Amino acid sequence: MATVEGCLVASTHRGCKALSSSFEGGVNSVILSDGMTRGPVVQFANTKRCNELKQFIDNPENFKELCRVFNSDSRFARLLEVKVGIAGRKAFLRFKCRTGDAMGMNMISKATQKALKFLKNEHFQDMDILSLSGNYCTDKKPSAMNWIEGRGKSVVVDATIPKDVVKNVLKTTVDEIVSLNISKNLIGSAMAGSVGGFNAHAANIVTAIFLATGQDAAQNVESSNCMTIMEKTDNGDLYVSVTMPSIEVGTVGGGTHLDAQKTCLKIIGVAGANQENPGQNAQTLAKCVASTVMAGELSLMAALAADHLVSAHIAHNRKK
Amino acid sequence: MATVEGCLVASTHRGCKALSSSFEGGVNSVILSDGMTRGPVVQFANTKRCNELKQFIDNPENFKELCRVFNSDSRFARLLEVKVGIAGRKAFLRFKCRTGDAMGMNMISKATQKALKFLKNEHFQDMDILSLSGNYCTDKKPSAMNWIEGRGKSVVVDATIPKDVVKNVLKTTVDEIVSLNISKNLIGSAMAGSVGGFNAHAANIVTAIFLATGQDAAQNVESSNCMTIMEKTDNGDLYVSVTMPSIEVGTVGGGTHLDAQKTCLKIIGVAGANQENPGQNAQTLAKCVASTVMAGELSLMAALAADHLVSAHIAHNRKK
Amino acid sequence: MATVEGCLVASTHRGCKALSSSFEGGVNSVILSDGMTRGPVVQFANTKRCNELKQFIDNPENFKELCRVFNSDSRFARLLEVKVGIAGRKAFLRFKCRTGDAMGMNMISKATQKALKFLKNEHFQDMDILSLSGNYCTDKKPSAMNWIEGRGKSVVVDATIPKDVVKNVLKTTVDEIVSLNISKNLIGSAMAGSVGGFNAHAANIVTAIFLATGQDAAQNVESSNCMTIMEKTDNGDLYVSVTMPSIEVGTVGGGTHLDAQKTCLKIIGVAGANQENPGQNAQTLAKCVASTVMAGELSLMAALAADHLVSAHIAHNRKK
Amino acid sequence: MATVEGCLVASTHRGCKALSSSFEGGVNSVILSDGMTRGPVVQFANTKRCNELKQFIDNPENFKELCRVFNSDSRFARLLEVKVGIAGRKAFLRFKCRTGDAMGMNMISKATQKALKFLKNEHFQDMDILSLSGNYCTDKKPSAMNWIEGRGKSVVVDATIPKDVVKNVLKTTVDEIVSLNISKNLIGSAMAGSVGGFNAHAANIVTAIFLATGQDAAQNVESSNCMTIMEKTDNGDLYVSVTMPSIEVGTVGGGTHLDAQKTCLKIIGVAGANQENPGQNAQTLAKCVASTVMAGELSLMAALAADHLVSAHIAHNRKK
């Protein structure tokens, strides 16, 4: 992690310690989906034509043809789906594709341009391509789209921490930390009108790792979308999970070739492209981000809960 | 700007060139408000007590007393308001205060803690202070709260660019760029369910300047909230504005003391605290951020609009 | 309640029964704020002039003068505040005022028009009044503005229900219903990208009462903004609250004079204007809405939790 | 339309008059998608199992089997897709299905229950079905989900109105109404933090038609999601469109059998089930709603724009 905030490292370290004592012997992680997106906007004379474009793309045969064109440009670009949104006579096409171990914005931009030209030249000559990006992607802006549909890697990690580890390592209780998570990360963020910000400080960890590993730090905006959930299990232990639908990372391209950054990637064991299984290095890095975020969440939430525990005890005694 | 993306610098430069030829001879800027926020969550036995706390704080006499306590901790902290939100028996108190030339998170955290203790010890002994942050701040998470209420510096910058500068420097037309801004930055972002993301790439510029000047890059989440507006004036020129309600920057504290970062601040002329008018350096830096974002918006939008112009012409000729 | 869904009445009735057995002997309710809003949009040549308007209105002396003009039109209209939002060279002015026992849209529209003319004629002759409503109100549309700032009556109601009442009347357990509320009303709504929709079916009750008492049913959109919270108390009982920041109701005007509707208002004891304390009838009606919503939430959530309880038991037995 | 607001009818009538003079000779309309949704929430021991459920459902063979079970319950229910969202160890399954001419909430609820039992009994015995609705649907609450994914009928209508009709019938100019639409319906709503509320007063028309035709008026919350777009065409005429992704209507069930309501449906020619093409009556009704909303938007926006036109002229003359 690259940060000038020293206690961020120490704090995350404590969370990691708690997680290493989990019943799972660490952290479980799943990749729900993996695909970079680009959402151009095109325009027709009327909405009827927009709908014909949508029907065309939704047709499996046509989609197969579109994939062929889209994928022809790169060894790694693999079109997964095109989500078509229509506003009046404008159509927004959200292309989603696999991009190997690259974060993939350049790759998808080129392939999308090719696909648009194909659509225009071969099938919809009256289509006016307004812009390669119509903010339907959505890149580096807050949006419900990325929260609901995902962008880059959609990752969930979880673990179950024994109640005595909560007590001895995190210095709080399962009840305290679970209750605070509801008050702050669920209710508090809901009161503030947040979409996707149901966490304590995911952005701190995301930014630190992005800088350390050569990612595009501006993409922190959506990559730090995160919901932290804490629950008391039937046995009284702490179930914790972190859901991050839009982590945008790569292990090739961008700043990943710089010396210091490359060294960091090597330490994690994900430098460069994965030869056997393209995309696996980037996925591992995304899991790494989410796991470290979970450590950071545990530690900060524990600190806040412990403060409350202490002050609540004092208050209780004072009353007597 | 600190970035590995070289064309970001070149692109912003072009925008700056266009802005320097504006009718205003550059950029106009206003600071709508200036105040860092912290939003703790407290709890009572019932909502009636929450409301009594709200009534207490809303009372001018009590607020004056609260200010005295809050401000006593620092030469710079000056409490501006406390916005009280209530959810059941939980109250969220959004303290907003001036913080001189510091970004101010540490300053406001300490002062808020003091204010909470005062409220509890002197007036509401049954108040349970759950957490110093209840995500009502909102720090490093997307939220409508920051978009609507502002956080840090709320800045608007604007300029009017002659139509021939649009043509010669930006290589597009007023009609093209205005129309694209509506399709992409207003309609596109609205279609994607964005709150506060009505721009092309504000986060790129915010992140680059934050890294270069020692800011907390994780705060780009809300600092890059931005609405870009472009309009054709009655004379056919281009009115452009950028509205950024939550730029969080400081010229002291954080990473501002590091050599490279301090040098950058010196170049802008805002290193350290402003002795005569505390807070003015940080405000100038915020205006700088917004102005550079506007340059970046102009340049990228012009490039996208020019692409469209070219392809539209080709299409037009082809039909013949 | 006016509805064709018979079981809605029966269900709400069960919730009421549980609430009547609460420790409080019913429901506690508070009015956090009371004010109808109208948000016109005006335009200047540049953002600097917008800011001058904002500074003018924020000045206490000027605001007093503005109040005088605004209030002169009606016996009941009492201006509370004007929140100024600026986007480029457009300013959005959110007037908020007391409206006695009327819902108040007509009253505030007239008074706002008068205030705008005053501002233009006396102080800002270069101000271009684009529209009496700039959607900054926000009337009959979803918006974070109403969720965060409130509109009409902001009401919170709560109660604590003994655990045996939860068991005998609601046919579930405190743990089950509390847990379901978190999964569905907090996490589920957050996953769906909701702002203000953290409840099970508030809109059902709001609409039914609105139709029965002559309100504007189209305002259900924001009037049903609601967060339902359920918590287990230290004694193992059920704390429940319903937070509704934007209930728009009146006991005069609109459809309140129609025979059937007036009869309904009389039954509640709030028909017509309250002579001694203008506005109290409308506030009582708003509390009534929130309390009935809480009954409806309790009953539906209990039914869903009970289903789960049954199926979980079956599953548990089946495994053996 | 059922309303106590008389001028709503008159106003809509004027909009209809303008639309009947459009170049298209009325209104064009498209149905982008048609499917009611229900989003239950289930829980596993960990997120890994959630992901296995997601992978299972995403598998085409399994989905086919799931469809067979789901559809077996009704002549009309036809499962279209299941969108799986995961938050920690909770999975939200958004079933979307055709429901013939019924609005379809009851139909889909039953079928979803059946599908869940099948999944649990046959494939995922460790799945805990927490609730038939997990607010991922989303029914009667604001949500980005419905705005982005659609619910019920997703409809777009548009028309191009000659500039002289704008002048003679709507009493404004193309430039004035286009400009106001941007300031109010796009920028104003964006400033207010709206998701899906980019219109002037869609809810008025939706509610009036819902009451008149026996729909569930509480569903106006999401049914009135709407973006109104106005643009000046190359010929100087007015292009207008209304995009409504989540209109929930039926021509059988609910209150459609009541005398007055049935009469209204008959007048439109959509009473009861369409025998030849099940679902077509409900789709026609949805198009009717959107078209009337467009008429209402045109008329109100024209009135506001005309006010501005008048006052701007006066101001202009006064200056002289």
Side-chain angles (χ1 to χ4, degrees):
Chain A
M1 302 201 301
T3 175
V4 293
E5 224 180 312
C7 59
L8 190 58
V9 178
S11 160
T12 311
H13 182 71
R14 184 171 73 142
C16 290
K17 194 176 160 195
L19 287 171
S20 68
S21 307
S22 77
F23 286 110
E24 296 85 356
V27 166
N28 276 332
S29 62
V30 297
I31 299 278
L32 299 179
S33 84
D34 180 357
M36 181 44 61
T37 62
R38 182 92 279 181
V41 51
V42 302
Q43 183 169 300
F44 288 93
N46 53 50
T47 195
K48 197 164 155 282
R49 287 293 288 156
C50 284
N51 195 33
E52 283 164 12
L53 173 64
K54 179 177 159 59
Q55 302 307 326
F56 178 89
I57 292 176
D58 287 352
N59 175 297
E61 282 308 305
N62 298 332
F63 183 70
K64 211 179 283 177
E65 198 190 0
L66 190 61
C67 284
R68 197 183 42 72
V69 175
F70 186 99
N71 298 347
S72 66
D73 210 47
S74 150
R75 271 199 304 148
F76 299 108
R78 291 294 169 270
L79 187 59
L80 298 170
E81 58 170 13
V82 181
K83 179 181 178 60
V84 183
I86 295 176
R89 58 180 180 166
K90 297 177 209 297
F92 296 84
L93 314 179
R94 194 177 190 254
F95 290 81
K96 185 171 193 172
C97 80
R98 293 294 301 271
T99 56
D101 286 303
M103 182 271 280
M105 282 294 286
N106 287 338
M107 191 188 299
I108 193 174
S109 293
K110 277 184 214 163
T112 298
Q113 203 151 25
K114 202 165 182 173
L116 288 175
K117 276 184 191 163
F118 161 77
L119 285 170
K120 181 176 173 65
N121 293 339
E122 305 297 323
H123 298 283
F124 293 88
Q125 289 172 24
D126 56 337
M127 181 174 84
D128 191 4
I129 303 171
L130 297 186
S131 169
L132 186 56
S133 164
N135 284 12
Y136 204 63
C137 318
T138 305
D139 192 45
K140 302 175 183 172
K141 268 93 62 182
S143 85
M145 179 63 83
N146 291 343
W147 176 242
I148 289 175
E149 293 291 314
R151 191 170 198 245
K153 281 76 175 128
S154 300
V155 188
V156 187
V157 296
D158 66 358
T160 307
I161 301 173
K163 53 178 167 292
D164 60 297
V165 175
V166 174
K167 196 178 167 190
N168 298 326
V169 177
L170 297 176
K171 312 292 183 195
T172 184
T173 68
V174 174
D175 281 327
E176 280 289 332
I177 199 168
V178 163
S179 166
L180 181 59
N181 191 66
I182 295 168
S183 294
K184 174 185 166 72
N185 290 341
L186 296 182
I187 295 177
S189 290
M191 286 294 286
S194 180
V195 173
F198 304 95
N199 60 82
H201 68 143
N204 274 334
I205 283 85
V206 169
T207 303
I209 299 182
F210 270 34
L211 291 174
T213 61
Q215 311 303 317
D216 186 342
Q219 288 186 322
N220 167 45
V221 174
E222 63 267 36
S223 292
S224 60
N225 275 344
C226 171
M227 180 186 277
T228 299
I229 296 178
M230 299 193 189
E231 294 174 307
K232 190 181 188 172
T233 67
D234 290 344
N235 297 324
D237 300 311
L238 176 65
Y239 170 82
V240 57
S241 70
V242 150
T243 300
M244 300 183 71
S246 44
I247 302 179
E248 296 145 344
V249 289
T251 58
V252 297
T256 61
H257 64 283
L258 302 171
D259 278 354
Q261 279 71 5
K262 190 156 210 168
T263 305
C264 278
L265 289 170
K266 277 182 184 162
I267 292 170
I268 312 177
V270 296
N274 190 304
Q275 299 303 331
E276 292 159 33
N277 193 357
Q280 195 179 299
N281 280 1
Q283 288 192 357
T284 302
L285 180 56
K287 288 177 176 182
C288 227
V289 170
S291 301
T292 316
V293 165
M294 188 154 74
E297 291 290 287
L298 270 176
S299 191
L300 176 53
M301 292 301 291
L304 292 169
D307 275 357
H308 175 244
L309 208 58
V310 170
S311 71
H313 276 187
I314 291 171
H316 207 249
N317 293 336
R318 207 173 271 173
K319 278 177 203 162
K320 291 173 186 171
Chain B
M1 302 200 302
T3 176
V4 294
E5 224 179 313
C7 57
L8 190 58
V9 178
S11 159
T12 310
H13 183 69
R14 184 172 69 144
C16 290
K17 194 177 159 196
L19 287 171
S20 68
S21 308
S22 77
F23 286 110
E24 296 85 355
V27 165
N28 276 333
S29 61
V30 297
I31 299 279
L32 300 179
S33 85
D34 179 358
M36 181 43 62
T37 63
R38 182 92 280 181
V41 52
V42 303
Q43 184 168 300
F44 288 93
N46 54 51
T47 195
K48 197 163 152 283
R49 287 295 287 158
C50 285
N51 194 32
E52 284 164 11
L53 173 63
K54 179 177 161 58
Q55 302 307 327
F56 177 89
I57 292 175
D58 287 353
N59 175 297
E61 281 309 304
N62 298 331
F63 183 70
K64 211 178 283 178
E65 196 190 1
L66 191 61
C67 284
R68 197 182 43 73
V69 174
F70 186 98
N71 297 347
S72 67
D73 210 45
S74 150
R75 272 199 302 149
F76 299 107
R78 291 296 169 266
L79 187 59
L80 299 170
E81 59 170 13
V82 181
K83 182 182 174 60
V84 183
I86 294 177
R89 59 179 179 167
K90 296 177 212 295
F92 296 83
L93 314 178
R94 194 176 189 254
F95 291 81
K96 184 170 194 172
C97 79
R98 294 293 302 271
T99 57
D101 286 303
M103 182 269 279
M105 281 295 284
N106 287 338
M107 192 190 297
I108 194 174
S109 293
K110 277 184 212 162
T112 299
Q113 202 151 26
K114 202 164 181 176
L116 287 175
K117 274 183 192 161
F118 161 77
L119 285 170
K120 181 176 173 66
N121 292 339
E122 305 297 324
H123 298 283
F124 294 89
Q125 289 173 25
D126 57 335
M127 180 175 85
D128 192 3
I129 303 170
L130 296 185
S131 170
L132 186 57
S133 164
N135 284 13
Y136 203 62
C137 319
T138 305
D139 193 45
K140 300 173 183 173
K141 270 93 63 182
S143 85
M145 179 62 83
N146 292 343
W147 175 243
I148 290 175
E149 294 290 313
R151 192 171 198 245
K153 281 80 175 126
S154 300
V155 188
V156 187
V157 296
D158 65 359
T160 307
I161 302 174
K163 52 180 167 295
D164 60 297
V165 175
V166 174
K167 197 177 166 191
N168 298 327
V169 177
L170 297 176
K171 313 291 182 197
T172 183
T173 67
V174 174
D175 281 328
E176 280 289 332
I177 199 168
V178 164
S179 166
L180 181 59
N181 191 66
I182 295 168
S183 294
K184 173 185 167 71
N185 289 342
L186 295 182
I187 296 177
S189 290
M191 286 296 286
S194 180
V195 174
F198 303 96
N199 61 82
H201 69 142
N204 274 334
I205 282 86
V206 168
T207 304
I209 299 182
F210 271 34
L211 291 174
T213 61
Q215 311 302 317
D216 186 343
Q219 289 185 322
N220 74 343
V221 174
E222 63 267 33
S223 292
S224 57
N225 275 345
C226 172
M227 179 186 279
T228 299
I229 297 179
M230 298 192 190
E231 294 173 306
K232 190 182 189 171
T233 67
D234 291 344
N235 297 325
D237 299 312
L238 176 65
Y239 171 82
V240 57
S241 69
V242 150
T243 300
M244 301 184 70
S246 44
I247 301 180
E248 296 145 343
V249 289
T251 58
V252 297
T256 60
H257 65 283
L258 301 172
D259 278 353
Q261 279 72 6
K262 190 156 209 169
T263 305
C264 280
L265 289 170
K266 277 182 185 162
I267 292 170
I268 312 177
V270 297
N274 190 303
Q275 299 302 331
E276 291 159 36
N277 193 356
Q280 194 178 300
N281 281 1
Q283 289 191 357
T284 302
L285 181 55
K287 287 177 176 182
C288 226
V289 170
S291 301
T292 317
V293 164
M294 188 154 73
E297 291 291 286
L298 271 176
S299 189
L300 177 52
M301 292 302 291
L304 291 169
D307 274 358
H308 175 245
L309 207 58
V310 170
S311 72
H313 277 188
I314 292 171
H316 208 252
N317 295 335
R318 205 174 271 168
K319 277 176 201 161
K320 291 175 188 172
Chain C
M1 300 201 301
T3 175
V4 294
E5 223 179 313
C7 58
L8 189 58
V9 179
S11 161
T12 311
H13 183 71
R14 184 171 72 144
C16 290
K17 193 175 161 195
L19 286 171
S20 68
S21 307
S22 78
F23 286 111
E24 295 85 356
V27 166
N28 276 333
S29 61
V30 296
I31 299 279
L32 300 179
S33 85
D34 179 358
M36 181 45 60
T37 63
R38 181 93 279 181
V41 52
V42 302
Q43 184 168 300
F44 287 94
N46 53 50
T47 193
K48 198 164 154 282
R49 287 293 289 156
C50 285
N51 195 32
E52 284 163 12
L53 173 63
K54 180 177 160 57
Q55 301 307 327
F56 178 89
I57 292 176
D58 286 352
N59 176 297
E61 282 309 304
N62 298 333
F63 183 70
K64 211 179 285 178
E65 197 191 359
L66 190 62
C67 284
R68 196 182 45 73
V69 174
F70 186 98
N71 297 348
S72 66
D73 210 47
S74 149
R75 271 199 304 149
F76 299 108
R78 291 295 168 268
L79 186 59
L80 299 170
E81 59 171 14
V82 181
K83 180 182 177 61
V84 183
I86 294 177
R89 58 179 178 167
K90 296 175 211 298
F92 296 84
L93 314 179
R94 192 176 191 254
F95 290 81
K96 185 171 192 173
C97 79
R98 294 294 302 273
T99 55
D101 286 302
M103 182 269 280
M105 282 294 285
N106 287 338
M107 192 189 299
I108 194 174
S109 293
K110 278 184 213 163
T112 298
Q113 203 151 24
K114 201 165 183 174
L116 288 175
K117 275 183 192 162
F118 161 77
L119 285 170
K120 182 177 174 64
N121 293 338
E122 305 296 323
H123 298 283
F124 294 88
Q125 288 173 24
D126 58 335
M127 180 175 86
D128 191 3
I129 303 170
L130 296 185
S131 169
L132 186 57
S133 164
N135 284 13
Y136 203 62
C137 320
T138 306
D139 192 47
K140 301 175 183 173
K141 269 92 65 182
S143 86
M145 179 62 82
N146 291 343
W147 175 242
I148 290 176
E149 294 291 313
R151 191 172 200 243
K153 281 79 176 127
S154 300
V155 188
V156 186
V157 296
D158 66 358
T160 309
I161 301 173
K163 53 180 167 291
D164 60 296
V165 175
V166 173
K167 196 177 166 191
N168 297 327
V169 177
L170 297 176
K171 312 292 181 195
T172 183
T173 67
V174 174
D175 281 328
E176 281 288 332
I177 198 168
V178 164
S179 166
L180 181 59
N181 190 66
I182 295 167
S183 294
K184 172 186 169 71
N185 289 341
L186 295 182
I187 296 177
S189 290
M191 287 295 285
S194 179
V195 173
F198 304 95
N199 62 81
H201 69 142
N204 274 334
I205 283 83
V206 168
T207 303
I209 299 183
F210 270 34
L211 291 174
T213 61
Q215 311 303 317
D216 186 341
Q219 289 186 321
N220 167 45
V221 173
E222 63 267 35
S223 292
S224 59
N225 274 345
C226 172
M227 179 186 278
T228 299
I229 297 179
M230 298 192 190
E231 295 174 306
K232 190 181 188 172
T233 67
D234 291 343
N235 296 326
D237 299 311
L238 175 65
Y239 171 82
V240 58
S241 70
V242 150
T243 300
M244 300 183 72
S246 44
I247 302 180
E248 295 145 344
V249 289
T251 58
V252 296
T256 60
H257 64 283
L258 302 171
D259 277 354
Q261 277 73 4
K262 189 155 210 171
T263 305
C264 279
L265 289 170
K266 277 183 184 161
I267 292 171
I268 311 177
V270 295
N274 190 304
Q275 299 302 332
E276 292 159 35
N277 193 357
Q280 195 179 298
N281 280 1
Q283 289 193 356
T284 302
L285 180 56
K287 288 178 176 181
C288 225
V289 170
S291 301
T292 316
V293 164
M294 188 155 75
E297 291 291 286
L298 271 176
S299 190
L300 176 53
M301 292 302 290
L304 292 169
D307 275 357
H308 174 244
L309 208 60
V310 170
S311 72
H313 276 188
I314 291 170
H316 208 251
N317 294 336
R318 206 174 269 169
K319 278 175 200 163
K320 292 172 188 175
Chain D
M1 302 200 300
T3 176
V4 293
E5 224 179 312
C7 58
L8 190 58
V9 178
S11 160
T12 312
H13 183 69
R14 184 172 70 143
C16 290
K17 194 175 160 197
L19 287 170
S20 68
S21 307
S22 77
F23 287 110
E24 296 85 356
V27 166
N28 275 335
S29 63
V30 297
I31 299 278
L32 300 178
S33 86
D34 180 358
M36 182 42 61
T37 63
R38 182 94 276 183
V41 51
V42 303
Q43 184 169 299
F44 287 93
N46 53 51
T47 195
K48 198 163 153 283
R49 287 293 287 156
C50 285
N51 195 32
E52 284 164 12
L53 173 64
K54 179 176 160 59
Q55 302 307 326
F56 178 89
I57 292 175
D58 287 352
N59 175 297
E61 281 309 304
N62 298 332
F63 183 70
K64 210 179 283 178
E65 196 190 0
L66 191 61
C67 284
R68 197 183 42 73
V69 174
F70 186 98
N71 297 347
S72 67
D73 210 46
S74 150
R75 272 198 304 149
F76 298 107
R78 290 297 168 266
L79 187 59
L80 299 170
E81 59 171 11
V82 181
K83 179 181 177 60
V84 184
I86 294 176
R89 59 179 179 167
K90 297 177 209 297
F92 295 84
L93 315 178
R94 192 175 191 255
F95 290 82
K96 185 171 193 173
C97 80
R98 293 293 303 271
T99 56
D101 285 303
M103 182 270 281
M105 282 294 286
N106 287 338
M107 191 189 297
I108 193 175
S109 292
K110 278 185 211 161
T112 298
Q113 202 151 26
K114 202 166 183 176
L116 287 175
K117 275 184 192 161
F118 162 77
L119 285 170
K120 181 175 173 65
N121 292 339
E122 305 296 324
H123 298 282
F124 294 88
Q125 289 173 25
D126 57 335
M127 180 175 85
D128 192 3
I129 303 170
L130 296 186
S131 169
L132 185 56
S133 164
N135 284 12
Y136 203 62
C137 317
T138 305
D139 193 45
K140 301 175 184 170
K141 269 94 63 183
S143 86
M145 179 63 83
N146 291 343
W147 175 242
I148 290 175
E149 293 290 313
R151 191 171 199 243
K153 281 78 176 128
S154 300
V155 188
V156 187
V157 296
D158 66 359
T160 308
I161 301 174
K163 52 179 167 293
D164 59 297
V165 174
V166 174
K167 197 177 165 191
N168 298 326
V169 178
L170 297 177
K171 313 291 184 196
T172 184
T173 67
V174 173
D175 280 327
E176 280 289 331
I177 200 168
V178 164
S179 166
L180 181 59
N181 191 66
I182 294 167
S183 293
K184 173 185 166 73
N185 290 342
L186 295 182
I187 295 178
S189 290
M191 286 296 286
S194 180
V195 174
F198 304 95
N199 61 82
H201 69 143
N204 274 334
I205 282 85
V206 168
T207 304
I209 299 182
F210 271 34
L211 291 174
T213 61
Q215 311 302 317
D216 187 342
Q219 288 185 322
N220 74 341
V221 174
E222 62 266 36
S223 292
S224 57
N225 275 345
C226 171
M227 179 186 279
T228 299
I229 297 179
M230 299 192 189
E231 294 173 307
K232 189 181 188 172
T233 66
D234 291 343
N235 297 324
D237 299 311
L238 176 65
Y239 171 82
V240 57
S241 69
V242 150
T243 300
M244 301 183 71
S246 44
I247 301 180
E248 296 146 342
V249 289
T251 57
V252 296
T256 59
H257 65 283
L258 302 172
D259 278 354
Q261 279 72 5
K262 192 156 208 169
T263 304
C264 280
L265 290 169
K266 277 182 183 162
I267 292 170
I268 312 177
V270 296
N274 189 305
Q275 299 303 331
E276 291 159 34
N277 192 357
Q280 195 179 299
N281 281 1
Q283 289 192 357
T284 302
L285 180 55
K287 288 177 175 181
C288 225
V289 170
S291 301
T292 316
V293 164
M294 189 155 73
E297 291 290 286
L298 271 177
S299 189
L300 177 54
M301 292 301 291
L304 292 170
D307 275 356
H308 175 244
L309 207 58
V310 170
S311 71
H313 276 189
I314 292 171
H316 207 252
N317 294 337
R318 206 173 272 172
K319 278 176 202 161
K320 292 175 189 171

